[in-house]
Amino acid sequence: MSSTGAAAARAPMLLRLGVPVAGCGAPDVPTDDEITLWMDGRLAEEAPAGSLGAATGRCEAGDAVSRTEGRVVLLLDAAPWVETIQLSCFGEGTADFTVDVAATSGGGGTEATSIAYADVPCGLGVQEEPIAVADVTSVGVTGSGAGGAGAWHAVVIGGKPG
């Protein structure tokens, strides 16, 4: 199989593994090969300092994704401090992200926090957003939007409380 064929074969596999499908606005719709190339590029990048995990997914025109269906969940063993999240998308327009953070509460239970990051511009690089939650056990990421085909990427960054 050629490297192009291998990359194209990986894209549907991401969908079967629970990567959300959502929409990113796009007057000039990127081709499937361009989307796959962008996604492969994000996955091949060296992780930034403090990276606790990353997720990427495809955007399809007109699809909407709920916060609970198809999200990517990163389970964190060490219950770290989650400092920020880096968000980016490919395509024209914007993407909306929902980040669901589960953390251990002082009483031994779990506290859930949902943070919305709306209208993240696609094609303008990485947008870093604060989270600032301690004792995190999982982070769920969902990308959505409206309009056209594209892709999204998120990197969860940890550190020490400051």
Side-chain angles (χ1 to χ4, degrees):
M1 182 182 287
S2 70
S3 62
T4 304
R10 267 194 307 271
M13 181 59 76
L14 289 172
L15 295 174
R16 282 181 268 171
L17 292 174
V19 175
V21 176
C24 290
D28 296 319
V29 177
T31 67
D32 188 55
D33 287 344
E34 290 171 329
I35 294 167
T36 299
L37 184 63
W38 185 87
M39 291 174 68
D40 288 347
R42 299 302 70 76
L43 295 172
E45 288 176 351
E46 184 175 332
S51 174
L52 299 173
T56 193
R58 295 180 81 77
C59 302
E60 298 298 335
D63 287 342
V65 175
S66 76
R67 285 185 26 233
T68 57
E69 293 178 17
R71 72 180 163 184
V72 174
V73 178
L74 307 172
L75 300 176
L76 306 174
D77 294 330
W81 167 261
V82 173
E83 190 170 314
T84 61
I85 189 161
Q86 295 178 349
L87 306 170
S88 59
C89 57
F90 175 72
E92 295 295 321
T94 63
D96 297 333
F97 292 83
T98 300
V99 179
D100 294 306
V101 180
T104 305
S105 69
T110 301
E111 288 183 23
T113 303
S114 184
I115 308 164
Y117 301 101
D119 298 324
V120 174
C122 294
L124 297 180
V126 173
Q127 181 170 317
E128 191 159 341
E129 296 288 347
I131 293 180
V133 177
D135 301 323
V136 175
T137 57
S138 70
V139 178
V141 181
T142 305
S144 63
W152 61 268
H153 186 70
V155 180
V156 178
I157 305 294
K160 295 183 179 182

